[in-house]
Amino acid sequence: MSNPFRLVIVGGGIAGLALATRLGKSLGRSGKLDITLVDKGFSHVWKPMLHCFAAGTARNENDRITFISHAAGHNFRFCYGEISGLDRANRRITLAPLVEKDDDNVVLEERYLDYDGIVFAIGSRANDFGTPGVLEHCIFLDNVVEANNFNERFRHALLQAYGRGTPVDIAIVGGGATGVQLAAELHKALDIGSLYNFTPKTPDMRVTLLEAGPRILPSFPEDVSAAAHKQLEALNISVRTGAMVSGVDESGFLLKDGSRVDAQFRVWAAGVKAPDVTRALDGLECTRGGQFVVKPSLQTTMDDRIFAMGDCSSIQNDPLPPTAQVARQEAHHLAKHLPAWILNQKPVPAFTFNNKGAIVALGSYNGWGTFPDGKTFGGGALHGLSARLGHTALYRQHQIELYGLRRGLIACLSDWLDGFVRPSVRMD
């Protein structure tokens, strides 16, 4: 019997884990495919929930999926590590050494994985656009570790504010869905926390949202942008459009017009780029933002054995937005067509994106959605509920897809019951 085809999936986000799970259920179970999922973390969370983890309105202990146990139950292997190199001639990837941050102790040396095919699904990061001081003085929320670190600092700042009676100043750069939803979620956290009577007076929290363009939520219709702008201002969030950041220091942001926005917390949620490592992977073609350039089949232009999907890829002459919806559909496309490519050398057909619209939810305050034809829904105390429930339904759909129907429904029930036991906002 010939050795099984070795498929390495790099990145355990929405796309990578969905693909590993689906292929594990089919070819992995039959032994025809040896699947290895590589990730630099030990667990998966739904990235559109990161703003909730940062604010503390959701606890990622309940919402994370541990790679090791999930792999064991779905016929693939998990390898902890971060890719640092690629040798296409010898079909081998290099994993960087694992080094302890505190004392530079090497926990794991550089390692190698051989492959017959690779799928890159390593996601994206916020783009600093080379702005001076961003990397040194800003907080990013690109993964669960960064979200947790922000939440810890946020809770400590609130504790000081309660004790000293001083305000908490937060400035967020980026008026896309992440920045807008984070601003609202932080106010939701403060509103919930005030119900616990920690002190007689709830401290002030001043949140400023900075957007370089003429309006927030630029990917949504103008009426949704205007309504969201109005809702944020009703929450006493200062929304500044046309605010181009030219520099950052330890006290705040310097704007292009010469003004300043001082803030204790400086969050950067603007733009999207691929991880820097993409440019160092054996000559694979990349865009200016570092995304792998792929054919409509999602195969890289330089090597048909290497695929890329999700935020780290850009389809040649037809780039798609870096959204969870695109990543999920690309994963389903490869899960459907890779078996024939692996077993029978059949070409992978072109991927076609089916736009199902988009949803933005501002905490428990409001929400809106758009259909593919441009029509919108949501807005208002009751009408906004439909959009907020739709946002939650997308997350539950993701859970059920990974867990299966029975376990997925149990996870939903567990989260619901947990709400009766734990506070609605993280307090510890």
Side-chain angles (χ1 to χ4, degrees), residues 7 9 12 16-29 33-39 41-44 64-80 402-403 407:
L7 181 69
I9 301 171
L17 190 57
L19 179 61
T21 301
R22 289 193 167 212
L23 290 179
K25 289 179 180 178
S26 55
L27 295 188
R29 177 179 295 171
L33 184 61
D34 178 9
I35 308 166
T36 301
L37 178 69
V38 177
D39 198 273
F42 284 102
S43 57
H44 163 89
R64 67 175 64 188
I65 296 173
T66 304
F67 288 129
I68 295 174
S69 60
H70 191 77
H74 293 85
N75 310 294
F76 65 90
R77 291 182 290 117
F78 170 67
C79 179
Y80 175 73
L402 294 177
Y403 282 131
R407 289 189 63 203

Side-chain angles (χ1 to χ4, degrees), residues 310-342:
D311 294 3
C312 72
S313 69
S314 178
I315 297 177
Q316 207 172 25
N317 302 320
D318 187 25
L320 293 170
T323 64
Q325 181 182 181
V326 171
R328 182 171 177 269
Q329 289 187 28
E330 288 179 340
H332 291 180
H333 179 79
L334 289 184
K336 180 179 180 180
H337 296 291
L338 275 182
W341 178 79
I342 291 169

